[in-house]
Amino acid sequence: MKLKLMTFLSLSMLLASCAQDETRDEVMPTEKQTVVKGNTTSRIGLTTLKLLKESGPIHPQVLNTEQSLVLEHDNNVYRLIMQNDNNLVLYRERQGYRTVLWHSNTHRTDVGGSRLVAQTDGNLVIYTNNNIPIWNSNTAVNYYVNNPHFKLQLYSRAGAAIPTGYRIKVILGGNNEERNDIIVEDFY
C-alpha cells in the first residue's frame, strides 16, 4: 500500500513539474530582444541585426503560380516565388548563381498550379488549383486581420561568437503591424 501511495505521489509531482515547464516555455521567450525605438537595429542575445532593406512599396496578399516577391540589394536578388511545381521557394540570385535559402517542400506535379494567400484569419496558406491547402504557416488567430500581406526583409547580422552574415525574413503583416516572422534564414 505504501509503495502504491509513494508511486502515485511521485507521478503526480512529476506531472505537475512537467506542466509548469510547459507553461513557462510559452511565457518566457528563449531569446532576449531589445529594440531601440526609431532605430532599425536590434540585439538578440549577443547577435546584432540591422535592417538593410524591405521589399515594397506594395506588399501582396496573393502570389499566383510563377509570381514572385523580389528584394534587390548589393547586386543580389532575393526572390520568393510560387513555382508551377507547387513549391514556394526563397532564392538568392547573384551573377551566375542561384541558391535556395528556403522552400516549403510542397513539390507536386499531380495537382497543377497553386497560389500563396495571406488570409484574414492571420494564416499564410498555399492552395492548389483545386483550392486544397497543402501548406500553412499555422499562425491563424480568432479575430479578423485587416489588410493581410507578406513582405521580405533583409538584415545584416553580426555577433561576438558568429561570423558576419545576413538574415532574411518573410514577414506576415496585417492590422497595420508586422504580425509574424514566417521564414527566418541566416546565411553568409
Side-chain angles (χ1 to χ4, degrees), residues 64-76:
N64 291 308
T65 301
E66 291 303 310
Q67 288 184 327
S68 61
L69 179 60
V70 175
L71 184 151
E72 295 181 27
H73 178 73
D74 199 22
N75 297 321
N76 289 284

Side-chain angles (χ1 to χ4, degrees), residues 14-106:
L14 178 63
L15 291 173
S17 173
C18 290
Q20 287 177 348
D21 286 345
E22 215 171 90
T23 304
R24 210 173 281 135
D25 288 345
E26 291 175 9
V27 173
M28 297 174 64
T30 56
E31 296 178 328
K32 183 179 177 186
Q33 182 171 0
T34 309
V35 178
V36 180
K37 236 181 180 183
N39 194 343
T40 57
T41 303
S42 62
R43 182 173 296 278
I44 301 175
L46 298 174
T47 303
T48 302
L49 297 173
K50 181 179 180 188
L51 180 63
L52 298 174
K53 194 162 183 187
E54 181 174 282
S55 62
I58 298 172
H59 306 300
Q61 182 178 0
V62 176
L63 278 184
N64 291 308
T65 301
E66 291 303 310
Q67 288 184 327
S68 61
L69 179 60
V70 175
L71 184 151
E72 295 181 27
H73 178 73
D74 199 22
N75 297 321
N76 289 284
V77 175
Y78 301 92
R79 184 180 312 275
L80 181 68
I81 184 169
M82 188 69 250
Q83 297 184 159
N84 62 6
D85 65 357
N86 300 293
N87 208 6
L88 178 66
V89 183
L90 178 59
Y91 289 104
R92 177 185 183 193
E93 301 168 355
R94 50 197 163 138
Q95 194 172 5
Y97 296 98
R98 189 176 200 191
T99 307
V100 173
L101 297 176
W102 179 90
H103 63 91
S104 62
N105 200 24
T106 52

